[in-house]
Amino acid sequence: MNTGLSWGGAAFMMVSWTVIISLISFCFGRMLGRGERPADRQ
Amino acid sequence: MTARQQREVWATKVGLVLALAGNAVGLGNLLRFPRQVAENGGGAFMVPYFISLILMGIPLMWVELAMGRRGGVYGYGTTPGMFGLLWRHPAARYVGALGILITSALVIYYTYIVSWCMGYAFFSAAGTYFGETSQTAMGSFFDGYLGVEKNQYFSGIGAAYFFFVATLLLVVWILSRGVVKGLETLARIAMPVLFVLGVALVARVLTLEPNPANPGWNVGAGLGFIWNPDLSRLGDGKVWLAAAGQIFFTLSLGFGAIQTYASYIREKQDLALTGLAAASVNEGVEVIIGGTLAIPAAVVFFGPMQTQAIASGGSFSLGFLSLPVVFQQMPFGQFFGSMWFLLLFLAGVTSSVAMAQPAMAFLQEDFRLTRPRAALVVGAVMLVLIQPVIFFQRYGFLDEMDYWVGTFGLVVMALIEVILFAWVFGMDRAWGEITRGAELAIPRVFYYVIKYVTPLFLVVILVVWTWQEAIGMLLMRGVVPEAVPYRWGARLLILGLFAAILFGVHKRWGGKPMDEMEHPS
């Protein structure tokens, strides 16, 4: 039975959180007008 | 006037993303996900989870959005009309009726469950159940609320009925206000509130003191309970299926609701970024908020051993029996308890309105009902059909409905729609639909993922689920004899609803040549 958060558990948790927070930031950053849009390059 | 000009469209892009995210975020994000992670390899579960998200979840989200936007261009807000545009065969419209059936059947019992959250938010704030400090006692409180037993708190089903009617009236009122004033306004208010409540509760759980009687029962142990990886489980096919299933439920795929929401998107408006943003918000609520609340809090107060039993007892056991006990042991427990159930309520009600919208679109577009009248009809049908769910719940009426429409039906629907879109309609045209107006350059590899990988993923899930569960469910293995008639009743209710929808589809389109569908106005 688990007795605490292991390094492996912390790594999986932090990577998951980071991926998701990055995705949300990327999407809303694009939507609110920041960053280059594919349409701008055409 | 074209069909597009007659239909409402989302007022803002952020409103659309929040509405789509509100549709996806539901009780499953907060109650089902943490159980699935804890039971399927901890952190290791996230490997198949993210792979399923990329290979099945997001591609299907784009498919449903593209299908819906195309339908909206021709004036169709529901899957019968949309399928007819993809597959020029008279049967397409009848197959599409499945999309209305699933959402219409789901919204009936889902709204009932959402109403429990409203009730428990009230009971928490009022401290009604405070004093019932064991799970057994809370189980008795829960049974009393649902009318299964009479006890000191409840002498009948009255309270559950009251909160159901209140929730139903709220849903009907939102639906009657339309897409922008109703659905979009709800999403723009409810989703930010949901985030604030979720973050506040996460902060509360992460700062919980260790259990004084057992200092080893602390937040670290709670997070470890969920996240510590058991990499050996990655070789277990059940873990991969569980992850794929969770992605399916969490993004509300295969319902028919995303298509209806997408039908209110402008013809050349982006879908790629919108879909990815909605999916990301949903994942944020699920993984960050859902993964940090219920289970870690339960570990601090019950310890890992008992939490294991709680987790395997089901989502309702975790949410309605265990956490109320936890809140009672927390300073300001009434406040945090009501916050938790309000969070669940907001997550649920934004999904309820999304599930009801296909029926609204069906009545408005195909039967020319005004919006308020359509909302009243939807509300009245829900009120009538919920009766057996409420009164026969102890016999598994709700479970039977949930399995066939809320589990098995979703995979069937998703498989049909991806085959129609990628293979019958044609992947080149499908890709053109998905990428039209895109504000995000979708990697070309997704062309092949949507065409080959996503359908294969769904076929595997469908075959395994049929073999493992559906046959046993169909034959009612393990069902006590006295419950058999009621479970048949649930099946008849689903079939009756399907027959009514098929009749409506036939009345609207029966005998008309497919060419007419291209010129609805």
Side-chain angles (χ1 to χ4, degrees), chain B residues 271-469:
Chain B
L271 295 180
L273 186 59
T274 300
L276 187 65
S280 304
V281 171
N282 177 71
E283 292 311 307
V285 174
E286 175 151 299
V287 177
I288 298 175
I289 297 176
T292 314
L293 291 183
I295 294 276
V299 169
V300 173
F301 291 98
F302 294 111
M305 293 288 279
Q306 204 178 333
T307 301
Q308 188 85 56
I310 291 167
S312 54
S315 298
F316 294 155
S317 168
L318 177 63
F320 293 92
L321 273 57
S322 307
L323 287 178
V325 176
V326 170
F327 295 129
Q328 292 182 56
Q329 298 175 47
M330 216 181 247
F332 307 106
Q334 288 178 233
F335 176 70
F336 287 109
S338 55
M339 271 177 84
W340 163 252
F341 286 110
L342 184 59
L343 174 71
L344 289 181
F345 177 74
L346 290 176
V349 80
T350 48
S351 302
S352 272
V353 293
M355 290 178 204
Q357 188 59 27
M360 285 287 295
F362 187 53
L363 293 172
Q364 286 178 260
E365 292 164 10
D366 299 339
F367 292 92
R368 304 291 172 202
L369 292 192
T370 60
R371 200 168 57 209
R373 192 161 287 183
L376 280 177
V377 170
V378 168
V381 170
M382 284 171 68
L383 189 60
V384 170
L385 296 185
I386 194 63
Q387 304 306 322
V389 178
I390 292 176
F391 288 104
F392 304 144
Q393 195 177 338
R394 75 187 76 174
Y395 301 108
F397 200 95
L398 192 155
D399 299 334
E400 188 74 19
M401 280 186 78
D402 186 47
Y403 182 76
W404 293 114
V405 297
T407 306
F408 196 76
L410 305 185
V411 190
V412 172
M413 176 69 180
L415 183 60
I416 291 171
E417 67 189 19
V418 78
I419 287 173
L420 286 183
F421 196 61
W423 289 87
V424 177
F425 183 57
M427 195 57 219
D428 286 335
R429 294 165 76 193
W431 187 251
E433 284 292 333
I434 291 171
T435 55
R436 176 154 36 90
E439 293 182 11
L440 176 77
I442 303 177
R444 181 74 180 174
V445 68
F446 279 100
Y447 176 101
Y448 301 100
V449 168
I450 291 170
K451 188 170 184 182
Y452 300 106
V453 181
T454 307
L456 188 66
F457 230 99
L458 292 167
V459 167
V460 171
I461 294 174
L462 190 60
V463 169
V464 176
W465 280 7
T466 302
W467 181 253
Q468 286 183 340
E469 295 174 358

Side-chain angles (χ1 to χ4, degrees), chain B residues 55-324:
Chain B
L55 297 182
M56 187 187 70
I58 291 171
L60 265 177
M61 173 74 90
W62 284 331
V63 165
E64 293 194 353
L65 285 172
M67 194 183 291
R69 184 181 63 178
R70 181 176 163 79
V73 170
Y74 290 93
Y76 302 134
T78 53
T79 43
M82 292 170 191
F83 280 15
L85 291 171
L86 302 176
W87 179 28
R88 303 187 66 74
H89 188 282
R93 300 149 178 166
Y94 298 101
V95 175
L98 199 57
I100 303 176
L101 169 72
I102 288 174
T103 45
S104 302
L106 263 171
V107 73
I108 294 167
Y109 63 83
Y110 191 82
T111 306
Y112 181 47
I113 297 168
V114 172
S115 74
W116 303 349
C117 304
M118 185 198 260
Y120 269 64
F122 173 79
F123 298 143
S124 300
T128 311
Y129 58 74
F130 278 59
E132 301 289 1
T133 53
S134 72
Q135 270 199 283
T136 311
M138 277 312 299
S140 180
F141 184 90
F142 191 52
D143 285 344
Y145 176 69
L146 297 180
V148 175
E149 68 174 49
K150 290 183 182 178
N151 52 37
Q152 65 193 95
Y153 293 107
F154 303 102
S155 56
I157 194 74
Y161 230 98
F162 172 79
F163 286 110
F164 173 71
V165 172
T167 307
L168 182 63
L169 287 175
L170 179 66
V171 167
V172 168
W173 178 69
I174 291 164
L175 291 172
S176 72
R177 290 175 59 82
V179 173
V180 176
K181 287 185 180 170
L183 304 176
E184 189 168 342
T185 302
L186 171 72
R188 290 177 74 94
I189 296 169
M191 292 306 287
V193 173
L194 186 149
F195 291 130
V196 171
L197 289 176
V199 170
L201 283 166
V202 165
R204 173 71 279 228
V205 169
L206 291 179
T207 53
L208 282 174
E209 295 290 326
N211 190 313
N214 296 281
W217 297 0
N218 53 41
V219 177
L223 293 173
F225 187 88
I226 283 198
W227 290 101
N228 287 353
D230 178 359
L231 295 173
S232 67
R233 297 295 304 279
L234 288 177
D236 185 348
K238 285 181 185 170
V239 171
W240 287 78
L241 271 173
Q246 180 60 28
I247 286 295
F248 214 88
F249 295 129
T250 190
L251 291 178
S252 300
L253 300 167
F255 281 47
I258 292 174
Q259 288 94 325
T260 299
Y261 267 26
S263 73
Y264 305 112
I265 297 176
R266 289 185 180 86
E267 187 176 354
K268 292 180 181 171
Q269 194 178 332
D270 159 83
L271 295 180
L273 186 59
T274 300
L276 187 65
S280 304
V281 171
N282 177 71
E283 292 311 307
V285 174
E286 175 151 299
V287 177
I288 298 175
I289 297 176
T292 314
L293 291 183
I295 294 276
V299 169
V300 173
F301 291 98
F302 294 111
M305 293 288 279
Q306 204 178 333
T307 301
Q308 188 85 56
I310 291 167
S312 54
S315 298
F316 294 155
S317 168
L318 177 63
F320 293 92
L321 273 57
S322 307
L323 287 178

Side-chain angles (χ1 to χ4, degrees), chain A residues 15-42:
Chain A
V15 168
S16 300
W17 283 36
T18 305
V19 167
I20 289 164
I21 291 169
S22 303
L23 259 177
I24 294 173
S25 307
F26 168 78
C27 291
F28 279 86
R30 273 288 177 96
M31 250 188 319
L32 299 176
R34 289 197 299 272
E36 187 185 22
R37 297 177 179 188
D40 299 337
R41 292 199 300 265
Q42 291 166 4

